[in-house]
Amino acid sequence: MNIYAQILIDEALARGIQVEVVDEEAGLYRLCYGSESVLCRESLTEKTCATAMTICDDKSLTHRILHKAGLRVPRQIIYKDMNQALNCIKEWSSVVVKPASGEQGRGITVDLRTEEEVKQGVETALRHSHHIILEEFVQGRDIRIIVIDYEFVAAIERKPAFIMGNGKDSIRQLIERKNAHLVKKTNGESQIPITMETERLIRRQELEWHDILTDGQTLQVCKTANYHTGGTITDVTDEVSPFLRKIAEEASRALNIPVVGLDFLVPDFAGEEYVIIEANERPGLANHEPQPTAERFIDFLFPKKNKNGKQLITLG
């Protein structure tokens, strides 16, 4: 099983909960204890209703639901044509183009400031969905917050992929070398895309694929901060303010989803400024170790089982 399913399976087995692998490739498994049975796909379970999945699968619908709940989100519209997009650039200075559905950063281009860049972004997004979103680009630190059973559990800061020069290899060679390391380290889960979007970002920094970085020089090669596109993750659970924890819990209730990964942009983890940009109905809980995400996940599914595998008895 992949790491996102295996971490949850291991926690279940440690508590004496029976595990049946239904489909290894899809990360689909069933947890059973006594008369209770829950079908899971990684961290997505039968406890998440179809309407919550529908909301999270459509980024524009997620945006509308959160906005109606009084939570802060970037300005956003459905893409219609380039004239509309150019008006957005004038009003917002910079835009994000992304498919309305999808995950792991696929098809998303960030910080677009010209007509040509938006055209390229639209072409990229259309490969993944016919429903395209234009969104205001907001500067900030990217933080993924995990909520389980409508309670804050963990948070990581996500930083976009970068490479470091050695004075010998070209930018392309450095990316290829780092990708070989990432693929081996993550079992193919993470690698930096080598695409027109990567080339756009490199050229914006007045460089080309064949250029050689000086020893120790760093270069950002991706705008999206997703782990699957070579980004790095750092646990920041203890740094997140009570206010942001409360907002994450409110967002999970607004979306009616008990297990969710919420993507925030914030200037300061300890502060109260934020926007919520996305909600993931199947967050990778393995990315949040050493925080007890697997433990809290099993607690949620089987509240009568404690960490020692013993059944809890409620008197009353």
Side-chain angles (χ1 to χ4, degrees), residues 17 79 93 134 170 239 255:
I17 295 169
Y79 172 79
S93 299
L134 297 175
S170 69
E239 301 176 42
L255 298 170

Side-chain angles (χ1 to χ4, degrees), residues 62-123:
T62 303
H63 181 278
R64 294 197 301 273
I65 296 294
L66 293 175
H67 179 66
K68 288 177 181 177
L71 301 171
R72 301 174 204 156
V73 290
R75 289 176 288 182
Q76 184 188 96
I77 59 173
I78 305 301
Y79 172 79
K80 293 180 181 178
D81 54 43
M82 282 307 302
N83 287 333
Q84 175 203 49
L86 291 176
N87 287 333
C88 288
I89 293 173
K90 291 176 183 177
E91 185 177 356
W92 302 341
S93 299
S94 178
V95 302
V96 176
V97 178
K98 58 186 179 183
S101 62
E103 57 185 5
Q104 300 177 356
R106 297 188 186 102
I108 299 176
T109 47
V110 177
D111 191 15
L112 309 178
R113 306 173 191 174
T114 68
E115 180 177 0
E116 187 57 38
E117 288 180 340
V118 171
K119 282 182 179 178
Q120 183 178 317
V122 169
E123 289 173 5

Side-chain angles (χ1 to χ4, degrees), residues 142-297:
D142 189 305
I143 179 173
R144 161 68 63 88
I145 293 179
I146 297 295
V147 175
I148 298 177
D149 200 10
Y150 304 103
E151 293 185 357
F152 171 92
V153 176
I156 52 174
E157 180 178 15
R158 308 187 305 172
K159 293 183 178 179
F162 70 93
I163 54 174
M164 182 175 292
N166 58 14
K168 299 180 295 183
D169 294 324
S170 69
I171 290 171
R172 180 181 283 274
Q173 289 171 326
L174 289 170
I175 293 176
E176 290 172 346
R177 179 172 297 170
K178 186 162 186 176
N179 274 345
H181 172 73
L182 285 171
V183 168
K184 184 177 180 181
K185 180 181 177 182
T186 66
N187 196 27
E189 290 286 339
S190 174
Q191 59 181 309
I192 301 166
I194 300 178
T195 62
M196 290 178 64
E197 167 62 9
T198 317
E199 183 176 2
R200 179 186 72 84
L201 183 57
I202 291 169
R203 286 184 170 174
R204 181 176 282 185
Q205 297 171 87
E206 300 182 347
L207 293 165
E208 300 287 346
W209 288 112
H210 61 266
D211 286 329
I212 296 173
L213 303 182
T214 59
D215 190 25
Q217 181 183 356
T218 60
L219 179 71
Q220 184 179 332
V221 290
C222 201
K223 271 286 188 180
T224 57
N226 298 72
Y227 174 73
H228 293 86
T229 55
T232 58
I233 54 178
T234 305
D235 179 59
V236 294
T237 300
D238 293 339
E239 301 176 42
V240 177
S241 69
F243 179 84
L244 292 178
R245 295 178 183 220
K246 175 176 171 288
I247 291 298
E249 293 170 353
E250 288 183 12
S252 70
R253 287 192 291 271
L255 298 170
N256 191 31
I257 185 165
V259 179
V260 64
L262 295 156
D263 295 339
F264 282 61
L265 290 174
V266 300
D268 179 10
F269 302 144
E272 297 189 359
E273 292 185 47
Y274 74 92
V275 292
I276 304 174
I277 53 174
E278 288 187 16
N280 188 327
E281 76 278 4
R282 184 166 51 94
L285 301 186
N287 295 338
H288 294 266
E289 293 186 296
Q291 298 301 328
T293 52
E295 292 93 325
R296 293 287 293 276
F297 179 79

